[in-house]
PDB file of all heavy atoms in Angstrom:
ATOM      1  N   ASP A  15      19.244 -21.422  -2.828  1.00  0.00           N
ATOM      2  CA  ASP A  15      18.849 -22.540  -1.969  1.00  0.00           C
ATOM      3  C   ASP A  15      17.564 -22.256  -1.197  1.00  0.00           C
ATOM      4  O   ASP A  15      16.749 -23.141  -0.950  1.00  0.00           O
ATOM      5  CB  ASP A  15      19.967 -22.901  -0.992  1.00  0.00           C
ATOM      6  CG  ASP A  15      21.101 -23.656  -1.653  1.00  0.00           C
ATOM      7  OD1 ASP A  15      20.930 -24.113  -2.802  1.00  0.00           O
ATOM      8  OD2 ASP A  15      22.177 -23.799  -1.038  1.00  0.00           O
ATOM      9  N   MET A  16      17.391 -21.008  -0.808  1.00  0.00           N
ATOM     10  CA  MET A  16      16.160 -20.651  -0.093  1.00  0.00           C
ATOM     11  C   MET A  16      14.943 -20.791  -0.983  1.00  0.00           C
ATOM     12  O   MET A  16      13.894 -21.259  -0.563  1.00  0.00           O
ATOM     13  CB  MET A  16      16.266 -19.195   0.428  1.00  0.00           C
ATOM     14  CG  MET A  16      17.403 -18.990   1.404  1.00  0.00           C
ATOM     15  SD  MET A  16      17.475 -17.258   1.963  1.00  0.00           S
ATOM     16  CE  MET A  16      19.243 -17.092   2.194  1.00  0.00           C
ATOM     17  N   HIS A  17      15.094 -20.404  -2.238  1.00  0.00           N
ATOM     18  CA  HIS A  17      13.986 -20.556  -3.186  1.00  0.00           C
ATOM     19  C   HIS A  17      13.677 -22.035  -3.434  1.00  0.00           C
ATOM     20  O   HIS A  17      12.501 -22.418  -3.566  1.00  0.00           O
ATOM     21  CB  HIS A  17      14.307 -19.850  -4.498  1.00  0.00           C
ATOM     22  CG  HIS A  17      14.201 -18.368  -4.429  1.00  0.00           C
ATOM     23  ND1 HIS A  17      13.001 -17.719  -4.208  1.00  0.00           N
ATOM     24  CD2 HIS A  17      15.145 -17.397  -4.517  1.00  0.00           C
ATOM     25  CE1 HIS A  17      13.198 -16.400  -4.197  1.00  0.00           C
ATOM     26  NE2 HIS A  17      14.499 -16.179  -4.362  1.00  0.00           N
ATOM     27  N   ARG A  18      14.717 -22.843  -3.468  1.00  0.00           N
ATOM     28  CA  ARG A  18      14.469 -24.285  -3.649  1.00  0.00           C
ATOM     29  C   ARG A  18      13.693 -24.847  -2.455  1.00  0.00           C
ATOM     30  O   ARG A  18      12.762 -25.651  -2.613  1.00  0.00           O
ATOM     31  CB  ARG A  18      15.799 -25.020  -3.831  1.00  0.00           C
ATOM     32  CG  ARG A  18      16.532 -24.614  -5.093  1.00  0.00           C
ATOM     33  CD  ARG A  18      17.638 -25.555  -5.502  1.00  0.00           C
ATOM     34  NE  ARG A  18      18.683 -25.692  -4.494  1.00  0.00           N
ATOM     35  CZ  ARG A  18      19.018 -26.824  -3.902  1.00  0.00           C
ATOM     36  NH1 ARG A  18      18.366 -27.951  -4.162  1.00  0.00           N
ATOM     37  NH2 ARG A  18      19.998 -26.856  -3.017  1.00  0.00           N
ATOM     38  N   LEU A  19      14.052 -24.395  -1.257  1.00  0.00           N
ATOM     39  CA  LEU A  19      13.336 -24.836  -0.065  1.00  0.00           C
ATOM     40  C   LEU A  19      11.888 -24.323  -0.067  1.00  0.00           C
ATOM     41  O   LEU A  19      10.973 -25.008   0.415  1.00  0.00           O
ATOM     42  CB  LEU A  19      14.049 -24.372   1.194  1.00  0.00           C
ATOM     43  CG  LEU A  19      15.314 -25.120   1.578  1.00  0.00           C
ATOM     44  CD1 LEU A  19      15.944 -24.482   2.821  1.00  0.00           C
ATOM     45  CD2 LEU A  19      15.032 -26.610   1.845  1.00  0.00           C
ATOM     46  N   LEU A  20      11.667 -23.145  -0.616  1.00  0.00           N
ATOM     47  CA  LEU A  20      10.296 -22.614  -0.677  1.00  0.00           C
ATOM     48  C   LEU A  20       9.424 -23.476  -1.590  1.00  0.00           C
ATOM     49  O   LEU A  20       8.212 -23.598  -1.354  1.00  0.00           O
ATOM     50  CB  LEU A  20      10.325 -21.169  -1.169  1.00  0.00           C
ATOM     51  CG  LEU A  20      10.736 -20.140  -0.121  1.00  0.00           C
ATOM     52  CD1 LEU A  20      11.072 -18.807  -0.778  1.00  0.00           C
ATOM     53  CD2 LEU A  20       9.622 -19.958   0.912  1.00  0.00           C
ATOM     54  N   HIS A  21      10.015 -24.068  -2.620  1.00  0.00           N
ATOM     55  CA  HIS A  21       9.231 -24.987  -3.470  1.00  0.00           C
ATOM     56  C   HIS A  21       8.935 -26.281  -2.735  1.00  0.00           C
ATOM     57  O   HIS A  21       7.854 -26.862  -2.904  1.00  0.00           O
ATOM     58  CB  HIS A  21       9.972 -25.239  -4.787  1.00  0.00           C
ATOM     59  CG  HIS A  21       9.774 -24.145  -5.796  1.00  0.00           C
ATOM     60  ND1 HIS A  21       8.656 -24.059  -6.584  1.00  0.00           N
ATOM     61  CD2 HIS A  21      10.539 -23.058  -6.095  1.00  0.00           C
ATOM     62  CE1 HIS A  21       8.730 -22.990  -7.361  1.00  0.00           C
ATOM     63  NE2 HIS A  21       9.866 -22.367  -7.085  1.00  0.00           N
ATOM     64  N   LEU A  22       9.884 -26.748  -1.931  1.00  0.00           N
ATOM     65  CA  LEU A  22       9.598 -27.896  -1.057  1.00  0.00           C
ATOM     66  C   LEU A  22       8.453 -27.547  -0.117  1.00  0.00           C
ATOM     67  O   LEU A  22       7.529 -28.342   0.068  1.00  0.00           O
ATOM     68  CB  LEU A  22      10.850 -28.275  -0.263  1.00  0.00           C
ATOM     69  CG  LEU A  22      10.644 -29.290   0.883  1.00  0.00           C
ATOM     70  CD1 LEU A  22      10.311 -30.672   0.332  1.00  0.00           C
ATOM     71  CD2 LEU A  22      11.882 -29.346   1.774  1.00  0.00           C
ATOM     72  N   ALA A  23       8.533 -26.391   0.483  1.00  0.00           N
ATOM     73  CA  ALA A  23       7.502 -25.958   1.436  1.00  0.00           C
ATOM     74  C   ALA A  23       6.137 -25.853   0.767  1.00  0.00           C
ATOM     75  O   ALA A  23       5.111 -26.172   1.386  1.00  0.00           O
ATOM     76  CB  ALA A  23       7.895 -24.623   2.054  1.00  0.00           C
ATOM     77  N   LYS A  24       6.115 -25.417  -0.466  1.00  0.00           N
ATOM     78  CA  LYS A  24       4.846 -25.306  -1.203  1.00  0.00           C
ATOM     79  C   LYS A  24       4.160 -26.659  -1.310  1.00  0.00           C
ATOM     80  O   LYS A  24       2.950 -26.763  -1.146  1.00  0.00           O
ATOM     81  CB  LYS A  24       5.103 -24.738  -2.600  1.00  0.00           C
ATOM     82  CG  LYS A  24       3.839 -24.580  -3.447  1.00  0.00           C
ATOM     83  CD  LYS A  24       4.176 -24.047  -4.820  1.00  0.00           C
ATOM     84  CE  LYS A  24       2.943 -23.954  -5.695  1.00  0.00           C
ATOM     85  NZ  LYS A  24       3.272 -23.508  -7.070  1.00  0.00           N
ATOM     86  N   GLU A  25       4.952 -27.705  -1.544  1.00  0.00           N
ATOM     87  CA  GLU A  25       4.373 -29.052  -1.657  1.00  0.00           C
ATOM     88  C   GLU A  25       3.757 -29.524  -0.354  1.00  0.00           C
ATOM     89  O   GLU A  25       2.878 -30.379  -0.348  1.00  0.00           O
ATOM     90  CB  GLU A  25       5.450 -30.040  -2.117  1.00  0.00           C
ATOM     91  CG  GLU A  25       5.880 -29.856  -3.548  1.00  0.00           C
ATOM     92  CD  GLU A  25       6.789 -30.983  -4.016  1.00  0.00           C
ATOM     93  OE1 GLU A  25       7.226 -31.813  -3.150  1.00  0.00           O
ATOM     94  OE2 GLU A  25       7.085 -31.058  -5.219  1.00  0.00           O
ATOM     95  N   HIS A  26       4.222 -28.967   0.755  1.00  0.00           N
ATOM     96  CA  HIS A  26       3.730 -29.374   2.074  1.00  0.00           C
ATOM     97  C   HIS A  26       2.821 -28.324   2.706  1.00  0.00           C
ATOM     98  O   HIS A  26       2.510 -28.427   3.906  1.00  0.00           O
ATOM     99  CB  HIS A  26       4.920 -29.652   2.991  1.00  0.00           C
ATOM    100  CG  HIS A  26       5.744 -30.842   2.579  1.00  0.00           C
ATOM    101  ND1 HIS A  26       5.422 -32.133   2.928  1.00  0.00           N
ATOM    102  CD2 HIS A  26       6.863 -30.925   1.807  1.00  0.00           C
ATOM    103  CE1 HIS A  26       6.314 -32.976   2.413  1.00  0.00           C
ATOM    104  NE2 HIS A  26       7.194 -32.258   1.712  1.00  0.00           N
ATOM    105  N   GLY A  27       2.396 -27.359   1.917  1.00  0.00           N
ATOM    106  CA  GLY A  27       1.497 -26.336   2.434  1.00  0.00           C
ATOM    107  C   GLY A  27       2.103 -25.423   3.464  1.00  0.00           C
ATOM    108  O   GLY A  27       1.385 -24.863   4.300  1.00  0.00           O
ATOM    109  N   ARG A  28       3.416 -25.229   3.427  1.00  0.00           N
ATOM    110  CA  ARG A  28       4.108 -24.385   4.437  1.00  0.00           C
ATOM    111  C   ARG A  28       4.890 -23.269   3.772  1.00  0.00           C
ATOM    112  O   ARG A  28       5.795 -22.687   4.385  1.00  0.00           O
ATOM    113  CB  ARG A  28       5.059 -25.243   5.278  1.00  0.00           C
ATOM    114  CG  ARG A  28       4.460 -26.493   5.902  1.00  0.00           C
ATOM    115  CD  ARG A  28       3.338 -26.177   6.864  1.00  0.00           C
ATOM    116  NE  ARG A  28       3.802 -25.424   8.018  1.00  0.00           N
ATOM    117  CZ  ARG A  28       2.991 -24.970   8.980  1.00  0.00           C
ATOM    118  NH1 ARG A  28       1.676 -25.158   8.874  1.00  0.00           N
ATOM    119  NH2 ARG A  28       3.468 -24.304  10.018  1.00  0.00           N
ATOM    120  N   GLN A  29       4.557 -22.915   2.557  1.00  0.00           N
ATOM    121  CA  GLN A  29       5.322 -21.898   1.830  1.00  0.00           C
ATOM    122  C   GLN A  29       5.255 -20.532   2.495  1.00  0.00           C
ATOM    123  O   GLN A  29       6.268 -19.861   2.684  1.00  0.00           O
ATOM    124  CB  GLN A  29       4.829 -21.805   0.379  1.00  0.00           C
ATOM    125  CG  GLN A  29       5.693 -20.954  -0.504  1.00  0.00           C
ATOM    126  CD  GLN A  29       5.138 -20.808  -1.909  1.00  0.00           C
ATOM    127  OE1 GLN A  29       3.967 -20.553  -2.096  1.00  0.00           O
ATOM    128  NE2 GLN A  29       5.999 -20.988  -2.911  1.00  0.00           N
ATOM    129  N   GLU A  30       4.058 -20.123   2.865  1.00  0.00           N
ATOM    130  CA  GLU A  30       3.870 -18.829   3.520  1.00  0.00           C
ATOM    131  C   GLU A  30       4.664 -18.759   4.816  1.00  0.00           C
ATOM    132  O   GLU A  30       5.319 -17.754   5.115  1.00  0.00           O
ATOM    133  CB  GLU A  30       2.382 -18.596   3.804  1.00  0.00           C
ATOM    134  CG  GLU A  30       2.056 -17.230   4.354  1.00  0.00           C
ATOM    135  CD  GLU A  30       1.798 -16.197   3.282  1.00  0.00           C
ATOM    136  OE1 GLU A  30       1.654 -16.600   2.108  1.00  0.00           O
ATOM    137  OE2 GLU A  30       1.751 -15.013   3.622  1.00  0.00           O
ATOM    138  N   GLN A  31       4.605 -19.844   5.588  1.00  0.00           N
ATOM    139  CA  GLN A  31       5.300 -19.864   6.875  1.00  0.00           C
ATOM    140  C   GLN A  31       6.815 -19.779   6.694  1.00  0.00           C
ATOM    141  O   GLN A  31       7.507 -19.059   7.418  1.00  0.00           O
ATOM    142  CB  GLN A  31       4.938 -21.138   7.652  1.00  0.00           C
ATOM    143  CG  GLN A  31       3.521 -21.199   8.133  1.00  0.00           C
ATOM    144  CD  GLN A  31       2.528 -21.683   7.083  1.00  0.00           C
ATOM    145  OE1 GLN A  31       2.865 -21.816   5.908  1.00  0.00           O
ATOM    146  NE2 GLN A  31       1.320 -21.978   7.503  1.00  0.00           N
ATOM    147  N   LEU A  32       7.344 -20.516   5.703  1.00  0.00           N
ATOM    148  CA  LEU A  32       8.794 -20.488   5.490  1.00  0.00           C
ATOM    149  C   LEU A  32       9.234 -19.126   4.985  1.00  0.00           C
ATOM    150  O   LEU A  32      10.295 -18.621   5.410  1.00  0.00           O
ATOM    151  CB  LEU A  32       9.216 -21.586   4.505  1.00  0.00           C
ATOM    152  CG  LEU A  32      10.723 -21.631   4.188  1.00  0.00           C
ATOM    153  CD1 LEU A  32      11.541 -21.817   5.459  1.00  0.00           C
ATOM    154  CD2 LEU A  32      11.033 -22.736   3.191  1.00  0.00           C
ATOM    155  N   LEU A  33       8.473 -18.512   4.106  1.00  0.00           N
ATOM    156  CA  LEU A  33       8.847 -17.203   3.610  1.00  0.00           C
ATOM    157  C   LEU A  33       8.925 -16.189   4.744  1.00  0.00           C
ATOM    158  O   LEU A  33       9.875 -15.390   4.827  1.00  0.00           O
ATOM    159  CB  LEU A  33       7.849 -16.746   2.547  1.00  0.00           C
ATOM    160  CG  LEU A  33       8.221 -15.437   1.807  1.00  0.00           C
ATOM    161  CD1 LEU A  33       9.563 -15.554   1.109  1.00  0.00           C
ATOM    162  CD2 LEU A  33       7.124 -15.066   0.817  1.00  0.00           C
ATOM    163  N   ASP A  34       7.944 -16.214   5.628  1.00  0.00           N
ATOM    164  CA  ASP A  34       7.964 -15.286   6.765  1.00  0.00           C
ATOM    165  C   ASP A  34       9.170 -15.527   7.651  1.00  0.00           C
ATOM    166  O   ASP A  34       9.820 -14.584   8.141  1.00  0.00           O
ATOM    167  CB  ASP A  34       6.674 -15.440   7.588  1.00  0.00           C
ATOM    168  CG  ASP A  34       5.473 -14.782   6.914  1.00  0.00           C
ATOM    169  OD1 ASP A  34       5.676 -13.880   6.077  1.00  0.00           O
ATOM    170  OD2 ASP A  34       4.333 -15.165   7.243  1.00  0.00           O
ATOM    171  N   VAL A  35       9.496 -16.801   7.890  1.00  0.00           N
ATOM    172  CA  VAL A  35      10.651 -17.140   8.727  1.00  0.00           C
ATOM    173  C   VAL A  35      11.955 -16.672   8.068  1.00  0.00           C
ATOM    174  O   VAL A  35      12.831 -16.101   8.738  1.00  0.00           O
ATOM    175  CB  VAL A  35      10.696 -18.665   8.970  1.00  0.00           C
ATOM    176  CG1 VAL A  35      12.042 -19.096   9.549  1.00  0.00           C
ATOM    177  CG2 VAL A  35       9.584 -19.089   9.927  1.00  0.00           C
ATOM    178  N   LEU A  36      12.082 -16.875   6.771  1.00  0.00           N
ATOM    179  CA  LEU A  36      13.287 -16.456   6.058  1.00  0.00           C
ATOM    180  C   LEU A  36      13.442 -14.935   6.057  1.00  0.00           C
ATOM    181  O   LEU A  36      14.538 -14.400   6.254  1.00  0.00           O
ATOM    182  CB  LEU A  36      13.258 -16.985   4.625  1.00  0.00           C
ATOM    183  CG  LEU A  36      13.436 -18.500   4.448  1.00  0.00           C
ATOM    184  CD1 LEU A  36      13.183 -18.912   3.010  1.00  0.00           C
ATOM    185  CD2 LEU A  36      14.842 -18.941   4.887  1.00  0.00           C
ATOM    186  N   TYR A  37      12.335 -14.239   5.812  1.00  0.00           N
ATOM    187  CA  TYR A  37      12.400 -12.777   5.828  1.00  0.00           C
ATOM    188  C   TYR A  37      12.874 -12.256   7.184  1.00  0.00           C
ATOM    189  O   TYR A  37      13.758 -11.406   7.280  1.00  0.00           O
ATOM    190  CB  TYR A  37      11.018 -12.183   5.534  1.00  0.00           C
ATOM    191  CG  TYR A  37      10.707 -12.017   4.055  1.00  0.00           C
ATOM    192  CD1 TYR A  37       9.411 -12.192   3.591  1.00  0.00           C
ATOM    193  CD2 TYR A  37      11.687 -11.625   3.147  1.00  0.00           C
ATOM    194  CE1 TYR A  37       9.091 -12.020   2.256  1.00  0.00           C
ATOM    195  CE2 TYR A  37      11.370 -11.448   1.805  1.00  0.00           C
ATOM    196  CZ  TYR A  37      10.082 -11.641   1.360  1.00  0.00           C
ATOM    197  OH  TYR A  37       9.775 -11.477   0.028  1.00  0.00           O
ATOM    198  N   ARG A  38      12.256 -12.763   8.232  1.00  0.00           N
ATOM    199  CA  ARG A  38      12.613 -12.279   9.577  1.00  0.00           C
ATOM    200  C   ARG A  38      14.073 -12.609   9.881  1.00  0.00           C
ATOM    201  O   ARG A  38      14.804 -11.777  10.428  1.00  0.00           O
ATOM    202  CB  ARG A  38      11.698 -12.886  10.631  1.00  0.00           C
ATOM    203  CG  ARG A  38      12.109 -12.456  12.031  1.00  0.00           C
ATOM    204  CD  ARG A  38      11.108 -12.800  13.113  1.00  0.00           C
ATOM    205  NE  ARG A  38      11.600 -12.339  14.394  1.00  0.00           N
ATOM    206  CZ  ARG A  38      11.540 -11.086  14.830  1.00  0.00           C
ATOM    207  NH1 ARG A  38      10.980 -10.152  14.084  1.00  0.00           N
ATOM    208  NH2 ARG A  38      12.032 -10.742  16.019  1.00  0.00           N
ATOM    209  N   ALA A  39      14.496 -13.817   9.536  1.00  0.00           N
ATOM    210  CA  ALA A  39      15.881 -14.219   9.809  1.00  0.00           C
ATOM    211  C   ALA A  39      16.864 -13.321   9.070  1.00  0.00           C
ATOM    212  O   ALA A  39      17.897 -12.924   9.614  1.00  0.00           O
ATOM    213  CB  ALA A  39      16.080 -15.678   9.430  1.00  0.00           C
ATOM    214  N   ASN A  40      16.556 -13.004   7.821  1.00  0.00           N
ATOM    215  CA  ASN A  40      17.485 -12.204   7.028  1.00  0.00           C
ATOM    216  C   ASN A  40      17.511 -10.739   7.436  1.00  0.00           C
ATOM    217  O   ASN A  40      18.582 -10.126   7.488  1.00  0.00           O
ATOM    218  CB  ASN A  40      17.100 -12.301   5.534  1.00  0.00           C
ATOM    219  CG  ASN A  40      18.100 -11.575   4.658  1.00  0.00           C
ATOM    220  OD1 ASN A  40      19.299 -11.687   4.829  1.00  0.00           O
ATOM    221  ND2 ASN A  40      17.584 -10.806   3.702  1.00  0.00           N
ATOM    222  N   PHE A  41      16.360 -10.176   7.742  1.00  0.00           N
ATOM    223  CA  PHE A  41      16.292  -8.734   7.991  1.00  0.00           C
ATOM    224  C   PHE A  41      16.304  -8.332   9.469  1.00  0.00           C
ATOM    225  O   PHE A  41      16.615  -7.192   9.772  1.00  0.00           O
ATOM    226  CB  PHE A  41      15.058  -8.140   7.319  1.00  0.00           C
ATOM    227  CG  PHE A  41      15.151  -8.124   5.827  1.00  0.00           C
ATOM    228  CD1 PHE A  41      14.391  -9.024   5.071  1.00  0.00           C
ATOM    229  CD2 PHE A  41      15.999  -7.263   5.160  1.00  0.00           C
ATOM    230  CE1 PHE A  41      14.491  -9.022   3.685  1.00  0.00           C
ATOM    231  CE2 PHE A  41      16.097  -7.266   3.783  1.00  0.00           C
ATOM    232  CZ  PHE A  41      15.345  -8.144   3.043  1.00  0.00           C
ATOM    233  N   ALA A  42      15.970  -9.273  10.351  1.00  0.00           N
ATOM    234  CA  ALA A  42      15.832  -8.863  11.751  1.00  0.00           C
ATOM    235  C   ALA A  42      16.762  -9.574  12.715  1.00  0.00           C
ATOM    236  O   ALA A  42      17.005  -9.072  13.816  1.00  0.00           O
ATOM    237  CB  ALA A  42      14.379  -9.069  12.206  1.00  0.00           C
ATOM    238  N   GLU A  43      17.290 -10.738  12.332  1.00  0.00           N
ATOM    239  CA  GLU A  43      18.110 -11.503  13.260  1.00  0.00           C
ATOM    240  C   GLU A  43      19.607 -11.318  12.990  1.00  0.00           C
ATOM    241  O   GLU A  43      20.004 -11.031  11.863  1.00  0.00           O
ATOM    242  CB  GLU A  43      17.720 -12.985  13.193  1.00  0.00           C
ATOM    243  CG  GLU A  43      16.272 -13.222  13.618  1.00  0.00           C
ATOM    244  CD  GLU A  43      15.855 -14.690  13.498  1.00  0.00           C
ATOM    245  OE1 GLU A  43      16.728 -15.526  13.179  1.00  0.00           O
ATOM    246  OE2 GLU A  43      14.655 -14.970  13.704  1.00  0.00           O
ATOM    247  N   GLU A  44      20.401 -11.521  14.017  1.00  0.00           N
ATOM    248  CA  GLU A  44      21.856 -11.275  13.889  1.00  0.00           C
ATOM    249  C   GLU A  44      22.557 -12.385  13.088  1.00  0.00           C
ATOM    250  O   GLU A  44      23.481 -12.101  12.329  1.00  0.00           O
ATOM    251  CB  GLU A  44      22.487 -11.151  15.286  1.00  0.00           C
ATOM    252  CG  GLU A  44      22.095  -9.867  15.994  1.00  0.00           C
ATOM    253  CD  GLU A  44      22.898  -9.684  17.263  1.00  0.00           C
ATOM    254  OE1 GLU A  44      23.922 -10.386  17.447  1.00  0.00           O
ATOM    255  OE2 GLU A  44      22.506  -8.831  18.097  1.00  0.00           O
ATOM    256  N   ARG A  45      22.125 -13.605  13.254  1.00  0.00           N
ATOM    257  CA  ARG A  45      22.810 -14.709  12.598  1.00  0.00           C
ATOM    258  C   ARG A  45      22.485 -14.725  11.107  1.00  0.00           C
ATOM    259  O   ARG A  45      21.326 -14.615  10.696  1.00  0.00           O
ATOM    260  CB  ARG A  45      22.412 -16.032  13.239  1.00  0.00           C
ATOM    261  CG  ARG A  45      23.176 -17.238  12.719  1.00  0.00           C
ATOM    262  CD  ARG A  45      22.764 -18.488  13.423  1.00  0.00           C
ATOM    263  NE  ARG A  45      23.332 -19.693  12.810  1.00  0.00           N
ATOM    264  CZ  ARG A  45      22.948 -20.915  13.086  1.00  0.00           C
ATOM    265  NH1 ARG A  45      22.003 -21.125  14.002  1.00  0.00           N
ATOM    266  NH2 ARG A  45      23.508 -21.958  12.487  1.00  0.00           N
ATOM    267  N   SER A  46      23.505 -14.873  10.292  1.00  0.00           N
ATOM    268  CA  SER A  46      23.325 -14.845   8.838  1.00  0.00           C
ATOM    269  C   SER A  46      22.524 -16.043   8.326  1.00  0.00           C
ATOM    270  O   SER A  46      22.544 -17.120   8.926  1.00  0.00           O
ATOM    271  CB  SER A  46      24.703 -14.852   8.155  1.00  0.00           C
ATOM    272  OG  SER A  46      24.565 -14.927   6.751  1.00  0.00           O
ATOM    273  N   VAL A  47      21.832 -15.828   7.216  1.00  0.00           N
ATOM    274  CA  VAL A  47      21.098 -16.916   6.578  1.00  0.00           C
ATOM    275  C   VAL A  47      21.890 -17.465   5.387  1.00  0.00           C
ATOM    276  O   VAL A  47      21.432 -18.380   4.701  1.00  0.00           O
ATOM    277  CB  VAL A  47      19.706 -16.452   6.082  1.00  0.00           C
ATOM    278  CG1 VAL A  47      18.846 -16.017   7.240  1.00  0.00           C
ATOM    279  CG2 VAL A  47      19.830 -15.331   5.054  1.00  0.00           C
ATOM    280  N   PHE A  48      23.079 -16.928   5.150  1.00  0.00           N
ATOM    281  CA  PHE A  48      23.856 -17.311   3.978  1.00  0.00           C
ATOM    282  C   PHE A  48      25.036 -18.210   4.339  1.00  0.00           C
ATOM    283  O   PHE A  48      25.687 -18.031   5.360  1.00  0.00           O
ATOM    284  CB  PHE A  48      24.382 -16.059   3.267  1.00  0.00           C
ATOM    285  CG  PHE A  48      23.295 -15.127   2.814  1.00  0.00           C
ATOM    286  CD1 PHE A  48      23.043 -13.963   3.515  1.00  0.00           C
ATOM    287  CD2 PHE A  48      22.516 -15.426   1.699  1.00  0.00           C
ATOM    288  CE1 PHE A  48      22.029 -13.086   3.096  1.00  0.00           C
ATOM    289  CE2 PHE A  48      21.507 -14.578   1.287  1.00  0.00           C
ATOM    290  CZ  PHE A  48      21.270 -13.412   1.979  1.00  0.00           C
ATOM    291  N   GLY A  49      25.266 -19.180   3.456  1.00  0.00           N
ATOM    292  CA  GLY A  49      26.494 -19.970   3.536  1.00  0.00           C
ATOM    293  C   GLY A  49      26.418 -21.269   4.303  1.00  0.00           C
ATOM    294  O   GLY A  49      27.172 -22.195   4.012  1.00  0.00           O
ATOM    295  N   GLU A  50      25.537 -21.394   5.298  1.00  0.00           N
ATOM    296  CA  GLU A  50      25.483 -22.591   6.114  1.00  0.00           C
ATOM    297  C   GLU A  50      24.157 -23.333   5.896  1.00  0.00           C
ATOM    298  O   GLU A  50      23.094 -22.796   6.193  1.00  0.00           O
ATOM    299  CB  GLU A  50      25.616 -22.245   7.601  1.00  0.00           C
ATOM    300  CG  GLU A  50      26.957 -21.655   7.977  1.00  0.00           C
ATOM    301  CD  GLU A  50      27.050 -21.391   9.475  1.00  0.00           C
ATOM    302  OE1 GLU A  50      26.221 -21.942  10.225  1.00  0.00           O
ATOM    303  OE2 GLU A  50      27.937 -20.635   9.874  1.00  0.00           O
ATOM    304  N   ASP A  51      24.238 -24.536   5.388  1.00  0.00           N
ATOM    305  CA  ASP A  51      23.035 -25.322   5.149  1.00  0.00           C
ATOM    306  C   ASP A  51      22.245 -25.579   6.438  1.00  0.00           C
ATOM    307  O   ASP A  51      21.007 -25.552   6.432  1.00  0.00           O
ATOM    308  CB  ASP A  51      23.390 -26.679   4.510  1.00  0.00           C
ATOM    309  CG  ASP A  51      23.739 -26.522   3.023  1.00  0.00           C
ATOM    310  OD1 ASP A  51      23.619 -25.383   2.512  1.00  0.00           O
ATOM    311  OD2 ASP A  51      24.129 -27.527   2.409  1.00  0.00           O
ATOM    312  N   GLU A  52      22.955 -25.827   7.528  1.00  0.00           N
ATOM    313  CA  GLU A  52      22.254 -26.139   8.771  1.00  0.00           C
ATOM    314  C   GLU A  52      21.442 -24.957   9.287  1.00  0.00           C
ATOM    315  O   GLU A  52      20.436 -25.150   9.964  1.00  0.00           O
ATOM    316  CB  GLU A  52      23.236 -26.617   9.839  1.00  0.00           C
ATOM    317  CG  GLU A  52      23.609 -28.089   9.708  1.00  0.00           C
ATOM    318  CD  GLU A  52      22.403 -29.023   9.669  1.00  0.00           C
ATOM    319  OE1 GLU A  52      21.604 -29.007  10.618  1.00  0.00           O
ATOM    320  OE2 GLU A  52      22.268 -29.754   8.672  1.00  0.00           O
ATOM    321  N   ARG A  53      21.876 -23.762   8.967  1.00  0.00           N
ATOM    322  CA  ARG A  53      21.088 -22.579   9.344  1.00  0.00           C
ATOM    323  C   ARG A  53      19.739 -22.615   8.605  1.00  0.00           C
ATOM    324  O   ARG A  53      18.679 -22.368   9.188  1.00  0.00           O
ATOM    325  CB  ARG A  53      21.850 -21.313   8.985  1.00  0.00           C
ATOM    326  CG  ARG A  53      21.057 -20.013   9.109  1.00  0.00           C
ATOM    327  CD  ARG A  53      20.608 -19.735  10.514  1.00  0.00           C
ATOM    328  NE  ARG A  53      20.183 -18.340  10.663  1.00  0.00           N
ATOM    329  CZ  ARG A  53      19.276 -17.936  11.547  1.00  0.00           C
ATOM    330  NH1 ARG A  53      18.684 -18.809  12.345  1.00  0.00           N
ATOM    331  NH2 ARG A  53      18.961 -16.653  11.638  1.00  0.00           N
TER     332      ARG A  53
END
């Protein structure tokens, strides 16, 4: 699902920004990035 969102972001010129946000959320933040769409 994250990769699908990255393709959406690419269409809007925000791919780099979303990738950075996802990386930080997955590796540095306590709240999980898996399982919840609203996250």
Side-chain angles (χ1 to χ4, degrees):
D15 284 348
M16 299 180 212
H17 285 294
R18 296 195 300 119
L19 285 177
L20 282 165
H21 278 279
L22 169 69
K24 180 182 176 183
E25 289 189 351
H26 294 275
R28 308 299 295 177
Q29 189 183 47
E30 185 88 12
Q31 291 83 350
L32 179 57
L33 187 59
D34 284 339
V35 166
L36 290 171
Y37 274 145
R38 177 169 180 79
N40 184 45
F41 291 107
E43 297 178 6
E44 290 188 14
R45 186 178 171 192
S46 175
V47 297
F48 301 104
E50 295 183 17
D51 284 356
E52 279 306 302
R53 171 62 165 152

